[in-house]
Coordinates of all heavy atoms in Angstrom, one line a residue:
F741 N 4.0 -17.1 -23.4 CA 3.4 -16.7 -24.7 C 3.5 -15.2 -24.9 O 3.2 -14.8 -26.0 CB 2.0 -17.2 -24.8 CG 1.8 -18.7 -24.7 CD1 1.5 -19.3 -23.5 CD2 2.1 -19.5 -25.8 CE1 1.4 -20.6 -23.4 CE2 1.9 -20.8 -25.7 CZ 1.6 -21.4 -24.5
L742 N 3.9 -14.5 -23.9 CA 4.0 -13.0 -24.1 C 5.5 -12.6 -24.4 O 6.2 -12.2 -23.5 CB 3.5 -12.3 -22.8 CG 2.0 -12.6 -22.5 CD1 1.7 -11.9 -21.2 CD2 1.1 -12.1 -23.6
R743 N 5.8 -12.8 -25.6 CA 7.2 -12.5 -26.1 C 7.2 -11.3 -27.0 O 6.1 -11.0 -27.6 CB 7.8 -13.7 -26.7 CG 7.9 -14.9 -25.8 CD 9.0 -14.7 -24.8 NE 9.1 -15.9 -23.9 CZ 9.6 -15.8 -22.8 NH1 10.1 -14.7 -22.3 NH2 9.7 -16.9 -22.0
G744 N 8.4 -10.8 -27.3 CA 8.5 -9.7 -28.3 C 7.7 -8.5 -27.8 O 7.7 -8.1 -26.6
R745 N 6.9 -7.9 -28.7 CA 6.1 -6.8 -28.4 C 5.0 -7.0 -27.3 O 4.6 -6.1 -26.6 CB 5.4 -6.2 -29.6 CG 6.3 -5.6 -30.6 CD 5.7 -5.2 -31.9 NE 4.5 -4.4 -31.5 CZ 3.8 -3.7 -32.4 NH1 4.1 -3.8 -33.7 NH2 2.7 -3.0 -32.1
L746 N 4.6 -8.3 -27.1 CA 3.6 -8.6 -26.1 C 4.3 -8.7 -24.7 O 3.6 -8.8 -23.7 CB 2.9 -9.9 -26.5 CG 2.0 -9.9 -27.7 CD1 1.4 -11.2 -28.0 CD2 0.9 -8.8 -27.5
G747 N 5.6 -8.8 -24.7 CA 6.3 -8.9 -23.4 C 6.0 -7.8 -22.4 O 6.1 -8.0 -21.2
R748 N 5.5 -6.7 -22.9 CA 5.2 -5.6 -22.0 C 4.0 -5.9 -21.1 O 3.8 -5.3 -20.1 CB 5.0 -4.3 -22.7 CG 3.8 -4.3 -23.6 CD 3.8 -3.1 -24.6 NE 2.5 -2.9 -25.1 CZ 1.7 -1.8 -24.9 NH1 2.2 -0.8 -24.2 NH2 0.6 -1.7 -25.5
F749 N 3.2 -6.9 -21.5 CA 2.0 -7.3 -20.8 C 2.2 -8.4 -19.8 O 1.4 -8.8 -19.0 CB 0.8 -7.7 -21.7 CG 0.4 -6.6 -22.6 CD1 0.8 -6.6 -23.9 CD2 -0.4 -5.6 -22.1 CE1 0.3 -5.5 -24.8 CE2 -0.8 -4.5 -22.9 CZ -0.4 -4.5 -24.3
A750 N 3.4 -8.9 -19.8 CA 3.7 -10.1 -18.9 C 3.7 -9.7 -17.4 O 4.0 -8.5 -17.1 CB 5.1 -10.7 -19.3
A751 N 3.4 -10.6 -16.6 CA 3.5 -10.4 -15.1 C 5.0 -10.2 -14.7 O 5.9 -10.7 -15.4 CB 2.9 -11.5 -14.4
I752 N 5.2 -9.4 -13.7 CA 6.6 -9.1 -13.2 C 6.5 -9.1 -11.7 O 5.6 -8.7 -11.1 CB 7.1 -7.8 -13.8 CG1 8.5 -7.5 -13.5 CG2 6.2 -6.6 -13.4 CD1 9.1 -6.4 -14.4
D753 N 7.6 -9.5 -11.1 CA 7.7 -9.5 -9.7 C 7.8 -8.1 -9.1 O 8.5 -7.3 -9.6 CB 8.9 -10.3 -9.2 CG 8.8 -11.8 -9.5 OD1 7.7 -12.3 -9.6 OD2 9.8 -12.5 -9.5
A754 N 7.0 -7.8 -8.1 CA 7.0 -6.5 -7.4 C 8.4 -6.2 -6.9 O 8.8 -5.0 -7.0 CB 6.0 -6.5 -6.3
A755 N 9.2 -7.1 -6.5 CA 10.5 -6.9 -6.0 C 11.4 -6.3 -7.1 O 12.3 -5.5 -6.9 CB 11.1 -8.1 -5.4
V756 N 11.2 -6.8 -8.4 CA 12.0 -6.3 -9.5 C 11.6 -4.8 -9.8 O 12.4 -4.0 -10.0 CB 11.7 -7.2 -10.8 CG1 12.3 -6.5 -12.0 CG2 12.3 -8.6 -10.5
V757 N 10.3 -4.5 -9.7 CA 9.8 -3.2 -9.9 C 10.4 -2.2 -8.8 O 10.9 -1.1 -9.1 CB 8.3 -3.1 -9.9 CG1 7.8 -1.6 -10.0 CG2 7.8 -3.9 -11.1
A758 N 10.5 -2.7 -7.6 CA 11.0 -1.9 -6.5 C 12.5 -1.7 -6.7 O 13.0 -0.5 -6.5 CB 10.8 -2.6 -5.1
S759 N 13.2 -2.7 -7.2 CA 14.7 -2.5 -7.5 C 14.8 -1.5 -8.7 O 15.8 -0.8 -8.7 CB 15.3 -3.8 -7.9 OG 15.4 -4.7 -6.7
A760 N 13.9 -1.5 -9.6 CA 13.9 -0.6 -10.7 C 13.8 0.8 -10.3 O 14.4 1.8 -10.9 CB 12.9 -1.0 -11.8
V761 N 13.0 1.1 -9.3 CA 12.8 2.4 -8.7 C 14.2 2.9 -8.3 O 14.6 4.0 -8.6 CB 11.8 2.5 -7.6 CG1 11.8 3.8 -6.8 CG2 10.4 2.2 -8.1
V762 N 14.9 2.1 -7.5 CA 16.3 2.5 -7.1 C 17.2 2.7 -8.3 O 17.9 3.7 -8.3 CB 16.8 1.4 -6.2 CG1 18.3 1.7 -5.8 CG2 16.0 1.2 -4.9
G763 N 17.1 1.8 -9.3 CA 17.9 2.0 -10.5 C 17.6 3.3 -11.2 O 18.5 4.0 -11.7
A764 N 16.3 3.7 -11.3 CA 15.9 4.9 -11.9 C 16.5 6.1 -11.2 O 16.9 7.1 -11.8 CB 14.4 5.0 -12.0
L765 N 16.5 6.0 -9.9 CA 17.1 7.1 -9.1 C 18.6 7.3 -9.3 O 19.1 8.4 -9.0 CB 16.8 6.9 -7.6 CG 15.3 7.1 -7.2 CD1 15.0 6.6 -5.8 CD2 14.9 8.5 -7.4
R766 N 19.2 6.3 -9.8 CA 20.7 6.4 -10.1 C 21.0 7.0 -11.4 O 22.1 7.4 -11.7 CB 21.3 5.0 -10.1 CG 21.3 4.4 -8.7 CD 22.1 3.1 -8.7 NE 22.2 2.6 -7.3 CZ 21.8 1.4 -6.9 NH1 21.3 0.5 -7.7 NH2 21.9 1.0 -5.6
R767 N 20.0 7.2 -12.2 CA 20.1 7.8 -13.6 C 20.1 9.3 -13.4 O 19.4 9.8 -12.6 CB 19.0 7.4 -14.5 CG 18.9 5.9 -14.8 CD 20.0 5.5 -15.7 NE 20.0 4.1 -16.0 CZ 19.6 3.5 -17.1 NH1 19.0 4.2 -18.0 NH2 19.6 2.2 -17.2
T768 N 20.9 10.0 -14.2 CA 21.0 11.4 -14.1 C 20.5 12.2 -15.3 O 20.3 13.4 -15.1 CB 22.5 11.8 -13.8 OG1 23.3 11.4 -14.8 CG2 22.9 11.2 -12.4
E769 N 20.4 11.6 -16.4 CA 20.0 12.4 -17.6 C 18.6 13.0 -17.4 O 17.7 12.3 -16.9 CB 20.2 11.6 -18.9 CG 19.4 10.3 -19.0 CD 20.1 9.1 -18.3 OE1 21.1 9.3 -17.6 OE2 19.7 8.0 -18.7
P770 N 18.4 14.2 -17.8 CA 17.1 14.8 -17.7 C 16.1 14.3 -18.7 O 16.5 13.8 -19.8 CB 17.4 16.3 -17.8 CG 18.6 16.4 -18.7 CD 19.4 15.2 -18.4
G771 N 14.8 14.5 -18.4 CA 13.8 14.1 -19.3 C 12.7 13.3 -18.7 O 12.7 13.1 -17.5

């Protein structure tokens, strides 16, 4: 039921968040 704008409140697997940390470290643009 958490679709569209409400999707930000959905539960997410911790392993996905951990992989996102690695993905963020691969980004180079400042800000």
Side-chain angles (χ1 to χ4, degrees):
F741 298 98
L742 297 175
R743 299 290 181 201
R745 291 178 48 176
L746 294 177
R748 67 191 196 118
F749 297 104
I752 188 168
D753 291 337
V756 171
V757 176
S759 292
V761 169
V762 174
L765 290 170
R766 291 187 175 126
R767 300 285 177 104
T768 59
E769 57 275 17

